Amino acid sequence: MSTDRGRTPRSGNRALLALSHSAAWLYAAALLLPLYYLIVSSFKDNLSVLDTPFALPTSVTLGNFAKAFDDAQLGPGLANSALVALGAAALTIVLAVPAAYGIVTSPGRLGQVLEGIFSAGFLIPGFAALVPTVLLAIALNQFQTRQFLVAFLPSTALPLSVVLLVQFMRAIPRELEESAAMDGASRLKILTAIYLPLVMPGVVTVTILNLINFWNEYLFALILNGPDPEIRTAQVALPTLISATSTDYAVLAAGVLITLLPIYLAYAVASRRMEQALLQGALKG
Amino acid sequence: MISRPACALVAGTLTAALLGACSSGTATPTATGSGAGAASASANGIAGTQIDVLSLWAKGSPEGDALRRATDAFAAKTGAVVKIVDAGENLVDVYETSVAAGKEADVIFVNLAEKSTGWTKSGAAVPVGDYLTQWGLKDKVKPEAIAQWTTDGKVSGFPYSGFVWPVWFNKDLLTKAGVDKIPTTTDDLIAAAKKLKESGASEAISIGGNDWSGNKLFLQIIQSYASADAFKGVLAKGSYCADADVKKGVDLFVQLRDAGVFVKDAQGFTADTMNTTFYTKKAAIMPAGSWAFAKTPPDVSATTELSGFPIPAGSRFTKPTAYNGYTGVGIFLSPNGIKKLDAVKAYVQTMYAKEVLADFVSTANLVPAATVAGATNKDPLLTQAVSALGDKVEYAVMPDTYIPPKVADKLIKASSQAFTPGVDAGAICSAVDKAYQ
């Protein structure tokens, strides 16, 4: 009896495990399908992309990539995207870290109220801010400039950045701060010498999330910067490959892959750090 | 990615709010008055003047490359600096936003359709009727082209490219299915569709039921019985089924759809899938414009006969119908553009030079809105369209300039319902009328 009792749950577990694995692989395959479509399309001609979308290409040439890069002028586009995304991500951290520190160290309920105010930012859809933002850019004579985009984008990311960093900072024992204060450390010193090194995994996580968002940002980049190749980002350059009457989807797929590559590489390099940070945050929580 | 309506909303809001209230631009006027033409442009002091051009024709397309060749030659000859910016399908929204900021390009190459039809009225573009005469272009541009670009007595822009929009028939596929002659009546068409389906090799009409291509075919079919003037009125104001003849046309559309003349799932097709279905011989018929000639595979091109859409008994037309027009792409002048009038004048005149137009015709299959002697093109479909199509078809009312700019996008979405099986004429009329509300 005891043997039977032992076997039944074990075989049940195995079945459950197999089911879980199958579901996970199925989900992964579903996620990979668009990527597969993009990759095979970028090596085909336009007719094949539309006629046999999931078939393998008959030859492997880089012609579509060269054409996409040249026609959409992706070189300056990628440089502008890098400038805007890196600049905005850096500025976001510069603003979010002190804000999170201020919230964590605020006395009484003030910190909770401030955190609530930042969280309320989630309720404002980005699109609602577009028209006033354009008006502001025009009023400041900063319309169609990259610096305005760098200055503006952090405002869209601050709510999430601050809320995430607050959670990381709350896990730091207050005694560390108190002993440093007794030793005469200033607020700035406590932030930079104690808090910042300890929340570095959180800073990396927030930076990666923001970099991905800023790199893929399209609406504000299009409206605020416009289509001039000297200042437009790669995401704005890419749609110039689309035509209402004759889009070459093979070239478009190649262009999409080109713009995906930098952010994918950045994520691949930093993803382990981010996973560790998230795990660390979860354990501390 | 942002949807086009989102961009449109922003651009529209900004334009409405700011046009006329903003400063009129940041560019410095560099010259005034009118010169004697492109040849003397340098003498008028345009060397060094920058002209900003916003273009729908993207780099890498035949038209975009022809535009760049002409522009480079102009810049080399005059010393002017011309900066071409491709804005693709976002051009209209991007331009309207930049007008609101007073930072718009000087010259814009875009088609006259949807929102651009309202630019001269809103002040986003400058009427060019006087410039056509003063710059010696009125005799070059075809009168019918100027007429199509004229609204309320104002010429919206310089007409540049036209189009023919016939119906393409793959003779090989029709013959193999037992269809001996190109259908000219809707009864012939229904019979041909049945034979094609029975043959199992292909379907009848490939159409992008989900976009502008389906919208144009829908509007082409439903005007079969209405007079041109009555249909123009309906396009302008809506109330489709209030007009008995238009209602009869909608009934005809439903009859054709239910008889299976369109490809299966046409309501989900776009113009690109329409082209591919025809190019890969999965459909024997499609309505497509002259812009599609260049990309047609040679074996399909060789067996394609261009004609018009078959007409029903009692139609106001006596021949199958096609569209033609000169609203393809024109040259708009912006408020900033007229601040550097000499340079812009020389640039526009250059675009109408014989050698430039000939290059557009031969390399980009352009149907010019201007008369150009000696231009040659070897494309068999363009040759067929120019030499034989006129005798076979009667031209229907081209809807673009009659549909109000605010309605156009919504009407395309509404008319896509017409391709959905089971949607009756009343529901179709109700959907398209809602686009006008």
Side-chain angles (χ1 to χ4, degrees), chain B residues 391-414:
Chain B
D391 293 335
K392 294 181 191 171
V393 302
E394 208 172 330
Y395 290 107
V397 173
M398 183 63 200
D400 283 352
T401 52
Y402 300 104
I403 298 170
K406 287 179 182 174
V407 173
D409 264 349
K410 290 190 280 182
L411 189 62
I412 289 172
K413 288 185 181 71

